[in-house]
Amino acid sequence: METEKTNTQNELNSSSKSKNTIVIVHGAWSSANDWHHVAGYLNSAENNLIIVNLPGHGTDETPISKISLQLYVYEVLKAIGSETNVTLVGHSFGGIVVSEVAELIAPQIKKLVYIAAFVPQNGDSLLSLAQMDSESHVGKNLIVNEQAGIASIIKEAITDVFLADAPKPVAEYVTNNLRPEPLAPLSTPVTLTDANFGKVAKVYVHSQNDHTIGYSLQQKMVENAGISRTYSLPSSHTPFIVFPQILSSIIALEAK
């Protein structure tokens, strides 16, 4: 009986390892819950899907004073654990986070998939990259409260900035429930090397009608990172809301 039990456990472990492990990291002013439509398509027998909710986002109540880029990275590392051949997906600011994660555990990462995301070079931060973006609508609608350590978007501009092509009820819900974003991680530079981050395969999904990260900056970051495999969607900054099935198909394809 003991041998039988061991064999069964080995089969379960083998089955787990044969799955495509997909880890998704959301962006700023967002949460894991925003990816529930994509999760509906990606949850299957073939995929081990993990959607990370970063501290201070969604229903998480981590104090702003304790939030840092390092804490975000730690949460993703904890979610990945000992998984290997991981397809690590980052949206928007999540691109900064997944890049730092890939630097630290490059042998465990099969591929990085950037979706309407920032792709940093060594020493870059979200703010340093955003300053290069002449097409973004964020800057003119940004409210920074340095004393509280948070940044917000003017309520009337939230739909235009993030999801101009979303159904009206969705846009209204997001507008009424958007939480302020912790400032500290946005200004923290990443440390990336050619030996680790540089050797991980990378794919980019463009959002062509993006008012958060302009399409021109997306293209420039892709060029600077030497990313040759790209997709393009005619979407705002939130293709996971407007094109969840197509986006899920792209992620599933890249995870195989």
Side-chain angles (χ1 to χ4, degrees), residues 90-248:
H91 171 251
S92 194
F93 174 61
I96 301 284
V97 180
V98 301
S99 297
E100 191 71 80
V101 170
E103 170 66 25
L104 296 175
I105 57 167
Q108 291 177 247
I109 307 301
K110 177 169 68 175
K111 187 178 296 178
L112 287 169
V113 179
Y114 295 93
I115 299 172
F118 289 101
V119 185
Q121 302 288 299
N122 182 47
D124 283 340
S125 67
L126 178 145
L127 290 183
S128 70
L129 289 170
Q131 287 171 358
M132 302 164 53
D133 193 348
S134 61
E135 297 171 347
S136 175
H137 293 190
V138 172
K140 63 185 179 183
N141 293 297
L142 190 65
I143 305 169
V144 176
N145 185 334
E146 292 188 5
Q147 186 173 354
I150 56 175
S152 305
I153 301 295
I154 295 172
K155 186 173 182 178
E156 293 74 18
I158 289 172
T159 296
D160 171 68
V161 170
F162 296 120
L163 61 173
D165 51 359
K168 188 176 179 181
V170 174
E172 289 178 347
Y173 177 82
V174 172
T175 296
N176 292 324
N177 290 276
L178 203 71
R179 290 180 61 178
E181 182 70 16
L183 270 177
L186 305 182
S187 60
T188 305
V190 294
T191 301
L192 305 174
T193 65
D194 291 337
N196 296 322
F197 170 74
K199 292 192 175 163
V200 178
K202 301 172 184 69
V203 173
Y204 198 97
V205 182
H206 290 286
S207 47
Q208 295 172 315
N209 301 318
D210 199 320
H211 293 168
T212 305
I213 305 176
Y215 185 43
S216 296
L217 177 60
Q218 292 178 36
Q219 292 174 305
K220 183 175 180 61
M221 291 187 293
V222 164
E223 181 182 353
N224 290 343
I227 298 173
S228 58
R229 189 170 177 84
T230 64
Y231 300 84
S232 290
L233 294 175
S235 77
S236 67
H237 192 58
T238 50
F240 49 88
I241 291 176
V242 185
F243 296 109
Q245 186 171 9
I246 297 174
L247 186 60
S248 300

Side-chain angles (χ1 to χ4, degrees), residues 24 35-44 47 49 51 244-245 248:
I24 297 176
W35 287 78
H36 69 278
H37 291 303
V38 168
Y41 289 110
L42 287 179
N43 273 319
S44 69
N47 298 326
L49 178 65
I51 304 181
Q245 186 171 9
S248 300

Side-chain angles (χ1 to χ4, degrees), residues 10-23:
N10 287 340
E11 287 170 10
L12 288 171
N13 290 340
S14 174
S15 174
S16 174
K17 292 299 181 184
S18 68
K19 288 187 175 184
N20 303 314
T21 297
I22 301 169
V23 179

